[in-house]
Amino acid sequence: QVQLTESGGGSVQAGGSLRLACEARGFTMYSFAWFRQAPGKEREGVAAIDKCGQSTHYADSVRGRFTISQDNAKRTLYLEMNSLQVDDTATYYCAQDKKCWLALRNEYTYSGQGTQVTVSS
């Protein structure tokens, strides 16, 4: 059984930083991503790691501000978020899959419960 547990969300002023973490239990995965969903909006892919292609992917809206990484020993996925903007306010979800090449496509099999990020002006 796969279990993903996010942490690290909170409230911050614009320009601030947060680091999200996602601890995983279960099978070996090859695609890892962070998604977010704001009220009234669709879920969007923010950042992803593809272990098969050894590549990272970022949404244009966060490129240069967010960094995705993982600690394989701890089975933990991270999202470092800097220069946060009000538009970054959303619930952030960790997602993982045994398939390769998913990148930012909203096709992941496993997802966590989410952690709230609120950025105020």
Side-chain angles (χ1 to χ4, degrees), residues 3 8 14 17 19-20 26-27 33 38 59 71-72 81 102 107 111 115:
Q3 184 175 358
S17 299
R19 187 175 81 155
L20 306 183
F27 304 110
D71 184 327
N72 292 322
M81 306 186 294
L102 290 183
E107 299 173 5
S111 182
T115 185

Side-chain angles (χ1 to χ4, degrees), residues 85-112:
Q85 303 169 357
V86 174
D87 287 348
D88 294 320
T89 296
T91 300
Y92 283 71
Y93 300 88
C94 167
Q96 301 189 12
D97 202 290
K98 291 184 282 186
K99 297 188 294 293
C100 298
W101 316 113
L102 290 183
L104 298 177
R105 298 199 305 272
N106 192 12
E107 299 173 5
Y108 285 73
T109 302
Y110 305 104
S111 182

Side-chain angles (χ1 to χ4, degrees), residues 12-83:
V12 65
Q13 288 191 324
S17 299
L18 285 172
R19 187 175 81 155
L20 306 183
C22 172
E23 185 177 354
R25 294 183 179 180
F27 304 110
T28 299
M29 302 294 178
Y30 295 97
S31 290
F32 307 82
W34 288 96
F35 286 78
R36 67 184 181 186
Q37 188 166 20
K41 295 187 178 180
E42 294 185 354
R43 182 176 294 201
E44 64 168 337
V46 173
I49 292 176
D50 174 18
K51 292 191 74 172
C52 297
Q54 297 185 1
S55 57
T56 56
H57 306 268
Y58 294 95
D60 290 342
S61 58
V62 306
R63 186 175 289 111
R65 300 188 297 120
F66 290 11
T67 302
I68 188 171
S69 62
Q70 61 186 157
D71 184 327
N72 292 322
K74 295 182 179 179
R75 302 199 67 179
T76 301
L77 183 70
Y78 299 101
L79 184 67
E80 185 77 34
M81 306 186 294
N82 298 314
S83 302

